[in-house]
């Protein structure tokens, strides 16, 4: 079975590159590896066949791009966590130790997981509207390399005092919520934003998780953020945060608002997403089921 190592040397701090992973893969007996790059797909993509293993050595953006190829070719995705946040890897409890990751690829346990579709665009982690788009749009590479996953938090708090929210209607299969929001996140798995856990969520439940934050005074927002970090979960519903589940979601705004998908800019609102259940094959021993709501 061919293995394709899709390298993204600019991910994370740059140390987990192709050479790094090749050493660990060879130690597990995986030697049929071809190293390739996303920006050179024209040289290798047509040779990917059903059942091949595409190993994404990068962050969530790289994983997203490789997963799209897997869907189109019926290949199997393997995640070699090398980015800043690595939220998708958390959904499968992918180990942090590289030797354990290589062992997992060698053993090849396969799970079927969901993907979310926004028009022709696929995402595995989260789409953001509002304040949550700022880290992807404004956090530069040196900041991310220096602060790691905390660069997302640093960017948010640098800008949060200037944000007054925006009017939007969030429509699901069973409800519609109108109001002013600071940020709206639509997640397909159980984690986003560098490890925030969504209660009662998983990457194979056939549901999108919509987490919306209301504008509040800075101290109240800071308190809500600290509670999330201390408890490791996003609350189901408070005076600041609302969470709903649905296989479909549409966000309508009075004025076009920027949208980011898995950390990349993806146009503006209106935004519509649908969950496609169990369509992606990925290497992992389990799909994590997040805990109960607070």
């Amino acid at each position: 079975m061919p293995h394709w190592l899709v390298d993204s040397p600019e991910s994370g701090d740059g140390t987990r590159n192709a050479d790094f992973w090749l050493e660990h893969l060879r130690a597990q007996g995986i030697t049929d590896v071809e190293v390739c790059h996303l920006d050179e797909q024209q040289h290798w993509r047509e040779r990917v066949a059903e059942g091949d293993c595409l190993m994404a050595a990068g962050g969530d953006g790289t994983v997203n791009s490789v997963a799209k190829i897997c869907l189109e070719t019926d290949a199997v995705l393997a995640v070699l966590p090398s980015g800043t946040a690595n939220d998708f890897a958390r959904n499968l409890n992918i180990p942090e130790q590289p030797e354990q990751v290589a062992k997992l690829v060698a053993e090849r346990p396969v799970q079927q997981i969901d993907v979310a579709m926004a028009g022709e665009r696929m995402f595995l982690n989260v789409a953001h509207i509002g304040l949550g788009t700022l880290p992807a749009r404004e956090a530069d590479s040196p900041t991310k390399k220096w602060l790691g996953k905390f660069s997302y938090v640093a960017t948010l708090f640098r800008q949060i005092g200037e944000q007054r929210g925006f009017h939007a209607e969030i429509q699901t299969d069973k409800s519609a919520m109108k109001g002013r929001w600071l940020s709206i996140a639509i997640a397909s798995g159980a984690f986003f934003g560098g490890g925030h856990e969504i209660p009662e969520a998983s990457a194979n439940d056939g549901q999108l998780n919509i987490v919306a934050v209301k504008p509040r005074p800075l101290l109240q927002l800071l308190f809500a953020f600290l509670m999330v970090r201390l408890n490791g979960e996003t609350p189901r519903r408070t005076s600041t945060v609302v969470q709903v589940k649905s296989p479909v979601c549409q966000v309508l705004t009075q004025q076009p608002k920027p949208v980011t998908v898995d950390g990349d800019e993806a146009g503006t609102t209106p935004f519509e997403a649908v969950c496609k259940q169990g369509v992606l094959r990925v290497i992992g021993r389990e799909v994590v089921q997040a805990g109960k709501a607070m």
Side-chain angles (χ1 to χ4, degrees):
M1 177 193 63
H3 290 79
W4 304 81
L5 176 53
V6 186
D7 188 25
S8 180
E10 295 182 356
S11 296
D13 60 8
T15 60
R16 292 194 170 194
N17 54 20
D19 291 337
F20 173 89
W21 285 112
L22 284 172
E23 179 181 350
H24 290 285
L25 292 167
R26 288 167 183 156
Q28 295 295 327
I30 302 174
T31 58
D32 59 335
V33 180
E34 181 165 346
V35 178
C36 50
H37 297 83
L38 284 172
D39 58 1
E40 299 175 351
Q41 289 186 48
Q42 69 274 17
H43 300 308
W44 57 270
R45 191 193 176 290
E46 290 186 355
R47 293 188 285 122
V48 177
E50 179 181 349
D52 286 4
C53 180
L54 266 63
M55 301 178 290
D60 290 325
T62 301
V63 172
N64 177 296
S65 298
V66 177
K68 186 173 186 294
I69 299 173
C70 288
L71 281 178
E72 294 169 350
T73 60
D74 202 21
V76 179
L77 173 66
V79 181
L80 311 182
S82 308
T84 303
N86 300 314
D87 281 314
F88 179 73
R90 301 174 196 271
N91 285 300
L92 294 155
N93 201 19
I94 302 294
E96 294 185 2
Q97 300 83 0
E99 61 275 10
Q100 292 300 317
V101 175
K103 182 179 180 182
L104 183 66
V105 175
E107 295 176 354
R108 196 182 162 112
V110 174
Q111 307 292 332
Q112 302 278 149
I113 66 162
D114 306 342
V115 303
M117 297 299 301
E120 297 298 317
R121 189 148 189 166
M122 181 198 76
F123 63 97
L124 296 174
N125 285 326
V126 65
H128 277 297
I129 301 164
L131 186 66
T133 67
L134 292 176
R137 293 162 54 210
E138 298 185 7
D140 55 23
S141 181
T143 300
K144 290 179 71 174
K145 290 180 184 293
W146 180 255
L147 294 177
K149 67 181 181 181
F150 296 105
S151 64
Y152 296 97
V153 178
T155 303
L156 290 179
F157 277 99
R158 190 175 66 246
Q159 296 286 342
I160 200 169
E162 303 174 7
Q163 303 297 315
R164 297 182 179 179
F166 57 96
H167 287 286
E169 180 176 356
I170 305 170
Q171 298 180 352
T172 70
D173 63 332
K174 296 178 181 178
S175 66
M177 298 183 295
K178 291 183 178 181
R180 181 177 285 274
W181 309 97
L182 192 63
S183 179
I184 301 171
I186 301 96
S188 59
F191 301 92
F192 75 97
H196 291 163
E197 182 177 308
I198 303 171
E200 301 178 1
S202 71
N204 64 353
D205 62 2
Q207 299 288 313
L208 300 173
N209 290 274
I210 300 98
V211 180
V213 181
K214 301 175 183 178
R216 291 291 184 263
L218 180 59
L219 287 179
Q220 188 172 344
L221 289 169
L222 178 59
F223 177 77
F225 172 78
L226 289 175
M227 289 299 97
V228 168
R229 298 305 296 182
L230 290 173
N231 289 282
E233 296 179 341
T234 299
R236 172 64 62 87
R237 184 178 292 268
T238 68
S239 62
T240 304
V241 181
V242 175
Q243 179 198 343
V244 295
K245 298 171 74 72
S246 173
V248 296
C249 176
Q250 186 176 38
V251 179
L252 307 173
T253 57
Q254 293 182 347
Q255 301 293 330
K257 297 291 294 183
V259 177
T260 59
V261 168
D262 281 356
D264 294 326
E265 295 185 46
T268 60
T269 54
F271 176 82
E272 186 172 356
V274 59
C275 182
K276 301 291 186 180
Q277 188 170 16
V279 297
L280 178 65
R281 293 192 296 164
V282 59
I283 291 177
R285 290 195 175 89
E286 65 174 328
V287 179
V288 174
Q289 172 69 49
K292 298 294 184 181
M294 291 167 55

